[in-house]
Structure formats: structure tokens, C-alpha cells
Amino acid sequence: MSHAYHEPHEPLELPPPPPPFQRDYLLPWQSSPPPEPAAPRFPAAGTRAQTPGRHRDLRRLRTSYRVLRRVSTLAALGYFTAFLALSTYAPGLMGRDVGVGGLNLGLLLALTQLPIALLSLVLYERTARRTVDPLAAELRRRSRPTDTAVRPSSRGTGR
């Protein structure tokens, strides 16, 4: 079997590359042209945000909300934890008679847990309306677009 020298194959001719995408050309599965590329979400490094102080306001809102949550949670859970600790470590104190129809201190503290929890909820709501809600409303007001003609109206939508 002799190996004969073969001529190299001619290079394959590839089809020309497709032309660059044209915005007005729709592919068969498209119903509308693709949207324009969005502007970057974050400003370039070294530039200031458009609304200076906005982060500070958000921090104030988060901080006031966090303090409100912690105080109200610790108030309600603190009372319950104190009740459990007294029940465990001071049964003699919890068994003392308070003088109202055979009611002892443990039972009285147990019955006041629900009113304490409800009071905690009422104080939470009241404090939130005085401290957190005004901050949130101010941020919401400032973040709305100034041009009202662009905003869609919810009137007449039939929903």
C-alpha cells in the first residue's frame, strides 16, 4: 500500500458574518423592537449622587425603625421572661396571696401578660406614627417624580 501525496484541500469558504443588528429589524419571534439599553444604575466612580443626603435620610429611617422594633420587642418579651424567671426561681414569691379572692401573685402576673402585650402594640403603633412614618413620608415625597404629566393615572383603568 503506497501512500500517495495528496494535494491539500482548498480552504472552506465560510459565509460572510451577519451585518450588525439593526434596531428596526425584527426577528420572527419578536413582537416589538428590543428596548434601548438602560443607563447604568450607579454613578461612575468619583461622582456624587444626584440627591446628596439621601443615604443619610435612609439611614435615619432604618435606625429609628430598628430602635422602635427592639424597644417594643424587648418590652413585651422582657415582661414574659421576668414572669418565667420569677416562676422558676422564686416560687414562694409567686405563690403569695394578693388578697383578691384567693388570687396569688403568679396568677395575677400571668393574667396581665395579654394586657401588657396589647399595650406594647399600642405604644409601638403610636411611636411609629410619631417617629418612623413622618420620615418615610418625607422620603416618599422627595422620591416622587416632579413632572406629573409623565406619571400614569390610575383613574379610568376599569380595575
Side-chain angles (χ1 to χ4, degrees):
M1 191 179 217
S2 72
H3 292 286
Y5 176 74
H6 293 287
E7 291 288 323
H9 295 287
E10 291 185 23
L12 283 175
E13 284 194 32
L14 298 173
F21 179 74
Q22 298 170 353
R23 285 271 175 227
D24 59 345
Y25 178 75
L26 294 179
L27 297 173
W29 59 84
Q30 292 176 318
S31 62
S32 62
E36 293 291 325
R41 285 183 65 186
F42 302 105
T47 61
R48 290 191 60 137
Q50 287 179 317
T51 53
R54 185 120 185 235
H55 298 291
R56 180 181 40 208
D57 295 337
L58 287 173
R59 257 193 307 273
R60 278 182 48 215
L61 178 64
R62 277 195 306 266
T63 301
S64 63
Y65 182 58
R66 186 180 311 121
V67 167
L68 177 64
R69 281 191 328 241
R70 287 180 182 168
V71 167
S72 62
T73 301
L74 290 176
L77 289 180
Y79 180 81
F80 181 68
T81 304
F83 170 73
L84 288 179
L86 285 172
S87 298
T88 304
Y89 297 110
L93 176 68
M94 297 295 271
R96 281 197 186 153
D97 217 13
V98 290
V100 182
L103 196 64
N104 63 15
L105 184 62
L107 190 54
L108 181 67
L109 291 177
L111 290 174
T112 58
Q113 281 185 12
L114 183 62
I116 294 291
L118 292 176
L119 180 66
S120 175
L121 287 172
V122 167
L123 289 176
Y124 176 88
E125 184 176 333
R126 183 172 165 230
T127 307
R129 285 187 184 177
R130 283 188 299 128
T131 61
V132 176
D133 290 352
L135 287 172
E138 176 64 21
L139 282 174
R140 196 176 300 120
R141 183 190 63 77
R142 287 193 316 189
S143 67
R144 285 196 184 119
T146 56
D147 186 8
T148 56
V150 175
R151 286 190 359 211
S153 173
S154 61
R155 298 172 77 192
T157 57
R159 292 185 191 187

